[in-house]
Amino acid sequence: MYRRVVVKLGTGVLTKGTRFLSQPQMVELARQIATLHHQGKDVIVCTSGAQAAGRAQLDFPDLPANLSNRQMLAAVGQSRLMRLWERFFDIYGIYAGQILLTRADTENRQRFLNARDTFNAMLEYRIVPVVNENDAVAVEEIKVGDNDNLSALVAVLTDADLLLLLTDQAGLFTADPRTDPHAQLIPEVHAIDDSLRALAGSSQSGLGIGGMSTKLQAADIACRAGTEVVIAAGSAPDVIVRAVTGQSVGTRFPAQETPLESRKRWILAGPAPSGRLLVDAGAARALQHHGHSLLPVGITEVEGVFERGDAVFVQKRNGPVLARGITRYSSDDLRRIRGCQSHEISERLGYGYGPVALHRNDMIVLE
Ligand code: GLU
């Protein structure tokens, strides 16, 4: 049902509420992820637990909870956390790769594109990306701060069609299930509005649902970008497999549109193009009638000055605008590789960002 999924695992899920990472629990989660991976799905793991692992590794030192101490714990724990994931994915013959991000990596356009290319390369080679915040270096200004929001950014970055937020609660409830016997699970949320935020926000005062506030923020970001969201209990049997195969678990937030529609809307509504690519008749045909990407070989001229990640127009010389899209190469780069075959790109530039100048998913072809 879903093809590309981000699974967010909170510290509480990985420790089962104890002070230690629970290895049996992590193996069980790895097993479920492996099942989906072997079915051909792309699974991206967003894992917490670095600080918890660091604290346990250092035998629970009595430290003030300031930023540098938390960063130290994360630095010690992150490598241990990753080692455990590697070991458990190994059981199922799966390679894992670590990606540590900060907010700055998703806000800067070039870094956004570079991070996206890395994720895509890993997924193409069937490597499971294991993501966490780069806590050891992330000062407050560049921090996302919590892995709920981080996982939503990863879902946007990777065009995931499902973000699964696993927690120690069965989902979103009408009241705090721990104290209110009448609390009911909300199976589906169609609008994240103020009353829902108030319900989740109360969790922080200890009344409502633990940590639901950042989960709603994450759900809001993801749903707007076309990713469906499910909040469910990490300990529920087969929860990842069930959620990803479309069975009803926890609380579901339907996406407002598909990731592709959302990206294309952003291209249309986004910043005005700062450059123009003139293309030959073959390239024009490939874009308009065959839904292909634009290759450097079809570009005859490059007008304007722009960076990788900027919006550009595509047209034939003296013709109407054919398309608008996000370029993978800067104007300087394109001037050097226009007209050449894609396999020559790295040779000409000394580096490469892939074979296409404009990918069809990053482009609106105008009628
Ligand atoms: N990045 C933190 C850690 O790995 C967790 C942050 C969170 O769970 O929201 O310890």
Side-chain angles (χ1 to χ4, degrees), residues 8-12 47-53 74 78 81 132-135 143 145-150 214:
K8 187 264 171 179
L9 303 165
T11 303
T47 181
S48 300
Q51 291 175 42
Q78 177 62 35
L81 178 66
N132 196 358
E133 181 141 33
N134 198 351
D135 286 323
K143 254 177 116 51
D146 65 84
N147 278 10
D148 291 322
N149 276 289
L150 180 71
T214 51

Side-chain angles (χ1 to χ4, degrees), residues 19-40:
R19 298 200 297 171
F20 298 91
L21 293 177
S22 161
Q23 297 195 22
Q25 170 81 331
M26 289 176 74
V27 174
E28 168 52 20
L29 295 165
R31 181 194 66 77
Q32 293 183 47
I33 291 166
T35 302
L36 297 167
H37 177 92
H38 292 311
Q39 287 171 4

Side-chain angles (χ1 to χ4, degrees), residues 70-238:
R70 288 206 309 273
Q71 290 181 307
M72 176 187 75
L73 293 175
V76 172
Q78 177 62 35
S79 53
R80 178 163 172 75
L81 178 66
M82 197 58 210
R83 218 160 45 238
L84 290 174
W85 281 125
E86 274 172 358
R87 189 175 337 137
F88 301 145
F89 281 124
D90 230 27
I91 300 173
Y92 301 99
I94 293 175
Y95 292 118
Q98 169 179 272
I99 299 197
L100 299 177
L101 292 174
T102 62
R103 182 179 290 285
D105 297 313
T106 62
E107 281 180 350
N108 171 293
R109 222 176 353 203
Q110 293 228 29
R111 283 160 81 166
F112 178 96
L113 287 179
N114 289 352
R116 200 174 74 183
D117 285 352
T118 308
F119 274 108
N120 284 335
M122 290 172 87
L123 294 168
E124 201 171 308
Y125 284 92
R126 306 297 293 144
I127 292 167
V128 171
V130 179
V131 188
N132 196 358
E133 181 141 33
N134 198 351
D135 286 323
V137 299
V139 291
E140 286 314 330
E141 305 81 70
I142 59 160
K143 254 177 116 51
V144 180
D146 65 84
N147 278 10
D148 291 322
N149 276 289
L150 180 71
S151 65
L153 295 178
V154 170
V156 174
L157 199 60
T158 56
D159 284 334
D161 38 29
L162 176 69
L163 167 62
L164 177 58
L165 298 168
L166 292 183
T167 175
D168 52 3
Q169 304 283 324
L172 188 63
F173 284 82
T174 52
D176 185 350
R178 290 166 299 191
T179 52
D180 187 339
H182 301 297
Q184 283 184 343
L185 181 74
I186 305 172
E188 194 152 309
V189 171
H190 287 283
I192 300 175
D193 54 19
D194 286 346
S195 62
L196 204 64
R197 281 192 201 96
L199 179 69
S202 62
S203 64
Q204 273 154 2
S205 60
L207 294 170
I209 319 106
M212 279 301 165
S213 177
T214 51
K215 287 187 178 53
L216 281 193
Q217 288 168 5
D220 207 10
I221 294 171
C223 289
R224 281 173 201 273
T227 302
E228 219 147 277
V229 178
V230 170
I231 301 177
S235 57
D238 250 350

